[in-house]
């Protein structure tokens, strides 16, 4: 029986008040207490025979999904979170896209490419593709979009500009050292041919091109700084277009008939509610108002995970993913400039009780920053570099370090505000950790909750002391975790700077020798952990519920969801 949207919103208000507050993460099918994701995507639904297997498609191909937070932006060059990733993946397509079965890069807007013998020059041949307004997608659209990312005079700097530093002279252009964009390794040969020159051979470059920062944007955005704030001015080249958007309540995407592979898209519409209550989302799912619930764009209350796993075994899915949940420090603000204080807080936690009693999703305790599932030197990085070497949980040592650090800072006690974005699961984790710090270290913690958009902006502006964070892989290589902490990096929201760390990461970036890269990665991560810029808490799992009639949605190795090929069977 269908429920109205007003009832969904009313229930949200009731349940937010009446449910035990506690509280998600993201840039997700293992069961139990092990997580070993691979470089393959998995179907989100427990089974996926598809209509081709003799099953009938539903007459109404309108998917109903909830978002636990609103996308902060619909501009691919400004995006930096998992919610925006999920929506932008519906609206845009890059030169490549990620294969749902293998996780490897496959043809997207580029129907083929040639790579020079030295691995430096890629020549992309574009297929006949159109924007949603009927204009042809051309090589100029990619060059235009990438110049936007790298523009040193941009009103709002692109947080992922560093992801384009693989291109020749891109970093120097972004930093104003090169002023002529024609010197950057992007050459429009003709409308259907784009030549890209790299600084160094980059084995994962094709995978990078499927990432949203590399998406093209239509040239009409050039003179309209507000183009991404309304559906009317958003011209897209992907499977769907944004057709409705009520801020804070809902958004709707509709099948794009101009998409070159429109015959592969079975869904006509995807209706997204925006309700930040896991309890409401779960109830709406059980009532048939939603076709899917849970990670990475929604939320199931953590205390309900063991229950729904037993109640709905054919609909519940758990998948180990290459993502890490952590707290990060603003290392520019005293007393968190003191590494002893940072280490004390990291060592004064007990991770397994958080997993057993709070998150209840089969996560793994984390003592490093790079999660399981990330490949390096022909093996999983984490299998070669044990994260237990970095630090241990040790309350006595933590007390000693805290006392020494406070004395060095001339303090008797530690003033600490812990900031997290609105979420029942984040709140639960924050409360548990605050209790541990009080019990184990005598630290009184002030908890601060912020709406997602404000939280992201404040974290980026270093307007916090200790903040919740999570990171999912943009591609399958340790670099996607370690290059974000480079000095001045667009996603380095800690103020961290270490010359030796920068040197190691850049040496890994420029090396084609996998053994050398592995050595540099391990040394860099050790510095990051020795400096305790972040407190690793756990490695994620993705927990979700999917109606048995929902087919074609996928969760990749990083935990990112792709709904572009999802559809409904008759039910």
């Amino acid at each position: 029986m269908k429920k109205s949207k007003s009832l969904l919103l009313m229930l949200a208000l009731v349940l937010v008040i009446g449910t035990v507050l506690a509280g998600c993460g993201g840039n997700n099918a293992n069961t139990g207490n092990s997580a070993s994701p691979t470089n393959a995507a998995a179907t989100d639904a427990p089974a996926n025979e598809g209509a081709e297997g003799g099953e009938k498609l539903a007459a109404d191909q309108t998917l109903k999904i909830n978002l636990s937070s609103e996308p902060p932006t619909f501009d691919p060059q400004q995006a930096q979170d998992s919610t925006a990733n999920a929506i932008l993946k519906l609206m845009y397509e890059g030169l490549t896209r990620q294969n749902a079965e293998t996780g490897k890069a496959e043809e997207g807007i580029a129907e083929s490419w040639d790579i020079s013998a030295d691995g430096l020059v890629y020549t992309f041949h574009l297929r006949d593709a159109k924007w949603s307004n009927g204009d042809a997608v051309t090589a100029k659209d990619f060059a235009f979009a990438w110049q936007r990312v790298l523009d040193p005079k941009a009103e709002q700097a692109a947080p992922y500009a560093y992801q384009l530093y693989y291109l020749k002279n891109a970093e120097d252009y972004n930093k104003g050292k090169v002023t002529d964009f024609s010197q950057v390794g992007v050459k429009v040969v003709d409308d259907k041919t784009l030549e890209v020159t790299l600084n160094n051979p980059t084995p994962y470059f094709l995978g990078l091109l499927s990432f949203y920062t590399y998406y093209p944007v239509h040239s009409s955005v050039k003179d309209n700084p507000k183009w991404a704030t309304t559906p009317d001015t958003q011209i897209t080249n992907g499977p769907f277009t944004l057709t409705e958007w009520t801020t804070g309540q809902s958004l709707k995407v509709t099948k794009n008939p101009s998409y070159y592979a429109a015959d592969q898209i079975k869904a006509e519409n995807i209706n997204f509610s925006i309700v930040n209550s896991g309890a409401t989302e779960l109830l709406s799912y059980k009532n048939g108002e939603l076709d899917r619930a849970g990670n990475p764009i929604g939320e199931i209350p953590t205390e309900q995970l063991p229950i729904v796993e037993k109640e709905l075994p054919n609909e519940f899915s758990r998948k180990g993913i290459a993502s890490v949940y952590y707290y990060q420090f603003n290392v520019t603000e005293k007393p968190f400039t003191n590494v002893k204080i940072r280490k004390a807080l990291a060592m004064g936690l007990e991770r397994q009780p958080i997993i057993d009693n709070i998150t209840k999703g089969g996560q793994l305790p984390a003592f490093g920053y790079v999660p399981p599932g990330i490949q390096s030197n022909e093996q999983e990085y984490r299998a070669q570099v044990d994260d237990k070497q970095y630090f241990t949980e040790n309350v006595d040592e933590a007390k000693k370090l805290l006392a020494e650090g406070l004395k060095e800072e001339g303090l008797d006690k530690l003033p600490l505000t812990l900031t997290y974005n609105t979420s029942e699961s984040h709140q639960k984790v924050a409360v548990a950790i605050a209790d541990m710090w009080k019990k184990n270290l005598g630290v009184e913690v002030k908890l601060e909750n912020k709406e997602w958009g404000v939280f992201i902006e404040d974290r980026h502006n270093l307007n916090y002391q200790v903040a919740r964070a999570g990171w999912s892989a943009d591609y399958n290589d340790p670099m996607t975790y370690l290059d974000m902490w480079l000095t001045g990096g667009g996603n380095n929201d800690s103020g961290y700077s270490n010359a030796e760390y920068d040197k190691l990461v850049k040496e890994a970036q420029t090396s084609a020798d996998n053994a050398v890269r592995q050595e540099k990665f391990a040394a860099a991560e050790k510095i990051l952990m020795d400096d305790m810029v972040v407190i690793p808490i756990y490695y994620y799992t993705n927990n979700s519920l999917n109606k048995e009639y929902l087919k074609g949605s996928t969760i990749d190795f990083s935990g990112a969801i792709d709904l572009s090929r999802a559809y409904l069977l008759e039910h």
Side-chain angles (χ1 to χ4, degrees), residues 87-162:
I87 305 303
L88 291 173
K89 195 172 291 184
L90 296 170
M91 296 165 58
Y92 291 89
E93 186 165 291
L95 291 168
T96 66
R97 63 186 305 273
Q98 185 173 271
N99 182 283
E101 298 300 323
T102 66
K104 301 288 187 181
E106 65 180 15
E107 297 83 355
I109 298 301
E111 63 180 358
S112 65
W113 50 81
D114 306 307
I115 306 174
S116 63
D118 60 6
L120 295 179
V121 181
Y122 289 67
T123 304
F124 295 94
H125 307 285
L126 277 58
R127 67 175 75 245
D128 290 330
K130 294 185 181 298
W131 291 98
S132 54
N133 70 345
D135 291 346
V137 179
T138 70
K140 292 178 183 177
D141 296 322
F142 286 92
F144 169 69
W146 297 359
Q147 185 171 4
R148 287 184 76 234
V149 175
L150 296 169
D151 185 0
K153 298 179 181 179
E155 184 175 339
Q156 185 173 357
Y160 265 120
Y162 67 89

Side-chain angles (χ1 to χ4, degrees), residues 39-50:
N39 191 33
T43 53
D44 198 16
N48 188 6
E49 297 171 356

Side-chain angles (χ1 to χ4, degrees), residues 179-223:
T179 58
D180 184 357
F181 187 71
S182 68
Q183 300 302 305
V184 177
V186 185
K187 180 181 178 182
V188 177
V189 178
D190 55 44
D191 282 353
K192 292 293 185 66
T193 312
L194 184 70
E195 183 181 280
V196 179
T197 303
L198 307 183
N199 290 310
N200 303 281
T202 306
Y204 46 86
F205 184 64
L206 289 173
L208 260 177
L209 292 173
S210 68
F211 188 58
Y212 49 74
T213 310
Y214 280 89
Y215 287 165
V217 292
H218 192 271
S219 58
S220 62
V221 313
K222 183 177 180 181
D223 300 316

Side-chain angles (χ1 to χ4, degrees), residues 138-376:
T138 70
K140 292 178 183 177
D141 296 322
F142 286 92
F144 169 69
W146 297 359
Q147 185 171 4
R148 287 184 76 234
V149 175
L150 296 169
D151 185 0
K153 298 179 181 179
E155 184 175 339
Q156 185 173 357
Y160 265 120
Y162 67 89
Q163 290 287 41
L164 271 69
Y165 286 1
Y166 298 95
L167 279 56
K168 181 181 177 181
N169 288 330
E171 181 174 6
D172 285 346
Y173 180 80
N174 185 234
K175 294 181 177 179
K177 296 177 183 179
V178 169
T179 58
D180 184 357
F181 187 71
S182 68
Q183 300 302 305
V184 177
V186 185
K187 180 181 178 182
V188 177
V189 178
D190 55 44
D191 282 353
K192 292 293 185 66
T193 312
L194 184 70
E195 183 181 280
V196 179
T197 303
L198 307 183
N199 290 310
N200 303 281
T202 306
Y204 46 86
F205 184 64
L206 289 173
L208 260 177
L209 292 173
S210 68
F211 188 58
Y212 49 74
T213 310
Y214 280 89
Y215 287 165
V217 292
H218 192 271
S219 58
S220 62
V221 313
K222 183 177 180 181
D223 300 316
N224 183 5
K226 296 184 179 180
W227 70 273
T229 63
T230 173
D232 297 339
T233 52
Q234 295 186 54
I235 300 171
T236 66
N237 75 324
F240 293 84
T241 60
L242 181 66
T243 50
E244 295 179 15
W245 179 22
T246 303
T247 304
Q249 295 185 35
S250 65
L251 61 92
K252 176 182 178 179
V253 296
T254 300
K255 182 177 177 178
N256 175 14
S258 297
Y259 179 54
Y260 71 87
D263 60 338
Q264 298 178 17
I265 310 304
K266 297 183 177 70
E268 293 295 330
N269 300 285
I270 306 178
N271 292 340
F272 293 95
S273 54
I274 304 172
V275 177
N276 188 10
S277 166
T280 303
E281 182 171 329
L282 178 58
L283 181 59
S284 298
Y285 176 85
K286 289 184 173 181
N287 287 343
E289 295 178 346
L290 297 174
D291 301 313
R292 182 189 188 283
N295 305 137
I297 53 177
E299 186 174 4
I300 299 170
T302 55
E303 71 275 6
Q304 290 294 318
L305 289 175
I307 298 172
V308 297
E309 184 176 10
K310 291 180 180 179
E311 287 183 347
L312 303 168
N314 294 331
E315 299 176 34
F316 181 80
S317 175
R318 172 170 296 157
K319 173 181 169 61
I321 57 174
S323 299
V324 60
Y325 189 102
Y326 61 97
Y327 285 173
Q328 65 183 47
F329 293 99
N330 174 359
V331 299
T332 69
E333 180 174 324
K334 285 183 171 293
F336 303 102
T337 51
N338 191 300
V339 69
K340 290 181 180 178
I341 291 176
R342 302 198 298 265
K343 285 185 175 181
L345 292 170
M347 296 173 72
L349 293 182
E350 299 163 79
R351 289 156 179 78
Q352 195 61 52
I354 293 173
I355 294 167
D356 293 341
N357 303 316
I358 307 298
T359 61
K360 300 181 180 180
Q363 297 86 357
L364 292 175
F367 295 88
Y369 190 62
V370 181
I374 294 298
Q375 300 295 308
S376 177

Side-chain angles (χ1 to χ4, degrees), residues 40-110:
T43 53
D44 198 16
N48 188 6
E49 297 171 356
E52 293 77 5
E55 297 175 290
K56 294 182 179 180
L57 291 174
D60 183 2
Q61 287 294 321
T62 299
L63 278 61
K64 297 164 292 183
I65 311 289
N66 184 56
L67 301 174
S68 59
S69 62
E70 187 166 47
T73 182
F74 292 105
D75 182 344
Q77 276 81 61
Q78 290 295 329
Q80 60 180 137
D81 70 290
S82 59
T83 305
N85 180 23
I87 305 303
L88 291 173
K89 195 172 291 184
L90 296 170
M91 296 165 58
Y92 291 89
E93 186 165 291
L95 291 168
T96 66
R97 63 186 305 273
Q98 185 173 271
N99 182 283
E101 298 300 323
T102 66
K104 301 288 187 181
E106 65 180 15
E107 297 83 355
I109 298 301

